[in-house]
Every structure is written in structure tokens, then in C-alpha cells.
Amino acid sequence: MLDLLITHATLPDGRTGMSIAVQDGRIAEVTEGLAAPAHETIDAQGLLVAPHFVDPHFHMDATLSYGLPRVNQSGTLLEGIALWGELKPLLTADALIERALAYCDWAVAKGLLAVRTHVDTSDPSLLAVDALLEVKRQVAPYLDLQLVAFPQDGVLRSPGGVDNIERALDRGVDVVGGIPHFERTMADGAASVKLLCEMAAARGKLVDMHCDESDDPLSRHIETLAFEAQRLGLQGRVTGSHCTSMHSMDNYYVSKLLPLIAQSGVAVIANPLINITLQGRHDTYPKRRGMTRVPELMAAGVNVAFGHDCVMDPWYGMGSGDMLEVAHMGLHVAQMTSQAGIRQCFEAVTTNAARVMHLEGYGLAAGCDASFVLLQARDPVEAIRLRATRLKVFRKGKLLAETPAATASLHLAGRDGATSWMTPQRHG
Ligand code: FE2
């Protein structure tokens, strides 16, 4: 007797009428039209079942702090950084944990069951590090939280920066972070990349750096990051986050850079909501979009994922933990409106992001964890279009969250009814 059987599911790869058999928290079988006894059977009625969403780039130490101690009046990156500096001395572990746990509730409800969060290591007390390690422990039964040691103020620029990262890693932080474009000089930025990659190699850690988060076409730390990944044998273990300067780089230089990134096995994370909001702010018109070159990176064979980056914090007052909103914005900013492009945007918040995080047991195949989402949509295109309701969220075979279907009751002259904004089924 199976624990759970999903029938009549559509999968992200387009297969329809599929059954997903679940036993002991894992997927036992994915096959067409299976009818087997199960403790619980759910008829998906042709709707999409997808592996859970993954956010590979977030700042959980700042989330839901919007308005503390004041609102970002200009809405710019620089005022956001200044505001975070004002907030940091006021942070308490209890309040930080409470906000992070509240965000994790939002995430689970949206089918987002794995998050890589950067945690600021600039404060030598490592208060935020300890708080998020505690959050990681508390949410472990329902959400995979991966921590990145992130020197927001610059690892070389601030005294004790290197030591703070070392101590954060000693305490159990998973990934080495960095912010080379925020160091004092280009040379210091490159030195920080080398130093941090060597630290990761020596400790067997992954790397994920905020890299070239500016509109400066000459900010080229991604080149150093790719070179160091290759030199140290870290292929597949290094990620460059944001890489917005690539938007503004010279095309000839990019034609040389893309193969280097691909050969070095460095993944790239774009953060569409934040990049389109914060970049190009020194421009008049035309204004640059500022997001990295997503389709070109993908075409070069680079693993590209999308992150949420911020939700209701000093940098960004919007957001609700909805990775479909992230994919929706990514699709628009990158003009990825081809059928293949839309599906790639869906993969950027699911499978590609899972690869960045090295998640084990991820996917919709026999042997994978039974961690998936039933969406009120018939395929990934519709899921993004509607930022579809997550009807049911499962992790390792357990139901974690349910949301009623989005439906409006209509009261129209002579033809009362209902609509859910889903694509009308075409007959004949
Ligand atoms: Fe970030």
C-alpha cells in the first residue's frame, strides 16, 4: 500500500496523465496512469505538479524589517546600505529570529522549500550568524536553509573582515561569500576573490559571491572568480550573484568572458526584481535594465538561476516569497518570451536553483524526495502568467501547506458564474 498517490498530473516537461507514487517520503515511481492502492489518493485533474521552488539568493537577516528604523525614502541601493547600517546596531537575535521564521512560513505556503541566504558577517559579535543558525535548526523539518558568510562591508575594507568569515564558517555556515565590487579598489576586489576562493578550497566549502553588482562596465570580478574557480579545481562549486555589470560590458569582451565562465563551471544568479529596481539609477534616458545577460549565459552552457534577494527590507519594500513572481519579472526583463525562454525562467527558480545549492534528492523522478507542489495551472507558462496558487505543498510526502483555489464569483446580468483566469480549454 502506497503512502500517497497523485494521479492525472501534468509535469513541467510536458508529460500529462502522470501518476506519482510516494512511499516513505520518497517518489517510488512516476508513470502514466498508475492505479494502485494508497492511504491517500489525490486527483490532480490535469494540473501541474512541479518540484518545489528554490530561492538560491536571499537575505534572511534583513527580511521583514521594512520601516525599521525608518523607510528607505529614495528607494536606492546606497540608501538601503546606509539604512541597513543604521538598523544593525539595533538588531536583537530574538527579533531577527522571529522575522526569519515568519518569512519561512510565507515561503512554505508558496511552495518554496529551499533557500540560500546570505548573512552579514561584518558585525564581529556574529549576532546575525548565530540567529540564522538557530533559524536553520528550527526550520530543518520543513525547509532547507543554506547560509552564506557575507561580508556586506567588504572583507578587506573592514578590520577583522577575514577573521569574521573564518569564525562564521567555524560555527557552521555552509558557503563562503564576498562582495569584491564594494572593496576600495579593483585590485582589492580581485585580492578578496582570490583569498575567499582559497579559503573555500581549503575548507571544502561552496562559494557564492555578490559579484559586480553595479552598472560599471569595467567591474570585472566575475572574470577573476571564474579564473580562481578553475585554478583551484572548484568547478561546479562556485556562483557569481547579480553580475549586473555584465549588462553594460562591451560586447567583444563578453564574447571572451562567457566561454571562461562556462569552462570554469561557475553558476550565475540574477535577481530580477532587485536588479531592475536598483540598477541604472545613475542613468537619465535611456535607462539600462541592469540585469545580467541571462539568455546569453544559458546559451553558453552556464547554469543560471533566479533569486528573490530581498523581501520587505531596507532595499526592497515588495515581495511575498513567491518565486513565480521572480520568474515573471525575469522573463520580462530578459525578454524571454519564447516558449523555450518561459520554460527556462521556470527552471531558473526550480531545477537550476537546486543545482546551485547542491540539493540532494531534488526532482520528480523515482528515488527523489517526494517534495513537490500542486499548482492551479496547467503548465509552467500558465504558472508564471498567473503566479499560480499553490494548492498543495508536500515535503518528503507530508502535506505542509494548502491554499484554496483562486476563483472569482461573477454576478453579471443574465450569466452569473465563476472565473479563475486559467486558459480556456479549446475543443475542436
Ligand atoms: Fe544580494
Side-chain angles (χ1 to χ4, degrees):
M1 173 92 76
L2 293 167
D3 293 334
L4 172 67
L5 178 66
I6 312 283
T7 61
H8 305 111
T10 299
L11 305 188
D13 63 12
R15 284 179 288 168
T16 58
M18 300 302 290
S19 300
I20 303 169
V22 175
Q23 191 75 52
D24 299 325
R26 288 182 181 273
I27 295 175
E29 196 177 356
V30 178
T31 188
E32 200 176 338
L34 178 72
H39 289 292
E40 189 183 7
T41 300
I42 295 170
D43 184 351
Q45 300 181 337
L47 297 180
L48 179 66
V49 175
H52 66 79
F53 296 101
V54 178
D55 182 359
H57 188 111
F58 195 61
H59 294 265
M60 203 172 276
D61 48 357
T63 196
L64 306 195
S65 67
Y66 182 76
L68 296 175
R70 61 182 179 81
V71 167
N72 182 337
Q73 291 297 332
S74 65
T76 59
L77 173 60
L78 290 181
E79 187 176 340
I81 292 173
L83 192 46
W84 178 234
E86 291 171 37
L87 176 58
K88 270 197 275 190
L90 311 175
L91 286 177
T92 67
D94 287 347
L96 199 154
I97 290 169
E98 195 181 315
R99 288 195 290 266
L101 290 174
Y103 182 76
C104 290
D105 289 350
W106 293 10
V108 168
K110 294 284 189 188
L112 170 54
L113 302 183
V115 177
R116 171 182 279 184
T117 178
H118 295 253
V119 50
D120 191 352
T121 57
S122 302
D123 171 7
S125 79
L126 299 182
L127 178 142
V129 170
D130 288 336
L132 284 193
L133 284 168
E134 174 59 20
V135 171
K136 177 178 172 161
R137 196 186 61 74
Q138 289 193 33
V139 302
Y142 52 88
L143 186 144
D144 286 317
L145 189 60
Q146 197 176 69
L147 267 53
V148 186
F150 173 51
Q152 171 81 69
D153 298 341
V155 70
L156 297 176
R157 187 169 169 166
S158 48
V162 177
D163 183 53
N164 291 351
I165 294 210
E166 298 264 22
R167 289 187 298 121
L169 297 172
D170 289 343
R171 292 186 192 192
V173 169
D174 310 281
V175 184
V176 177
I179 186 164
H181 57 276
F182 200 68
E183 304 291 349
R184 283 288 187 198
T185 63
M186 249 354 144
D188 268 7
S192 78
V193 171
K194 183 168 183 285
L195 178 157
L196 291 164
C197 284
E198 285 173 352
M199 189 191 292
R203 287 171 172 262
K205 298 281 188 183
L206 303 177
V207 175
D208 187 341
M209 288 190 199
H210 284 64
C211 202
D212 305 322
E213 188 183 1
S214 76
D215 298 310
D216 177 1
L218 297 179
S219 184
R220 294 172 173 187
H221 297 299
I222 182 66
E223 178 187 276
T224 310
L225 186 65
F227 176 80
E228 291 298 328
Q230 235 174 10
R231 183 178 73 86
L232 296 163
L234 294 173
Q235 289 91 339
R237 303 178 60 78
V238 175
T239 300
S241 279
H242 291 288
C243 300
T244 52
S245 72
M246 207 184 294
H247 187 91
S248 300
M249 284 173 184
D250 172 72
N251 284 338
Y252 174 77
Y253 174 70
V254 172
S255 75
K256 187 165 162 264
L257 177 64
L258 292 179
L260 173 67
I261 299 173
Q263 283 162 22
S264 65
V266 168
V268 170
I269 295 173
N271 296 290
L273 294 163
I274 308 309
N275 300 151
I276 195 64
T277 309
L278 296 181
Q279 302 311 134
R281 293 297 279 255
H282 292 268
D283 294 355
T284 54
Y285 287 94
K287 285 181 192 284
R288 285 167 288 180
R289 299 168 189 221
M291 191 167 79
T292 196
R293 303 190 187 199
V294 172
E296 291 80 7
L297 283 160
M298 286 178 168
V302 176
N303 182 32
V304 182
F306 290 160
H308 206 315
D309 203 6
C310 303
V311 170
M312 295 191 73
D313 67 11
W315 296 273
Y316 190 63
M318 305 282 122
S320 63
D322 185 349
M323 294 308 291
L324 285 173
E325 190 174 304
V326 173
H328 189 261
M329 181 60 77
L331 176 160
H332 284 79
V333 176
Q335 299 181 329
M336 292 173 71
T337 48
S338 68
Q339 290 297 297
I342 299 172
R343 286 172 192 276
Q344 283 175 313
C345 289
F346 191 83
E347 288 165 7
V349 294
T350 51
T351 49
N352 295 4
R355 273 172 64 201
V356 165
M357 287 184 65
H358 287 219
L359 289 183
E360 287 172 12
Y362 184 85
L364 277 186
C368 293
D369 287 341
S371 302
F372 45 70
V373 186
L374 172 63
L375 291 134
Q376 191 187 1
R378 292 197 188 90
D379 58 38
V381 178
E382 187 159 71
I384 294 177
R385 178 174 68 81
L386 296 176
R387 275 78 80 215
T389 302
R390 282 65 162 175
L391 300 170
K392 292 181 189 292
V393 178
F394 289 92
R395 184 176 191 265
K396 298 187 179 174
K398 269 183 59 183
L399 181 66
L400 292 186
E402 289 177 286
T403 305
T407 308
S409 299
L410 300 174
H411 308 287
L412 307 174
R415 46 181 294 270
D416 285 4
T419 188
S420 64
W421 301 275
M422 287 173 70
T423 310
Q425 297 281 58
R426 289 189 182 83
H427 301 289

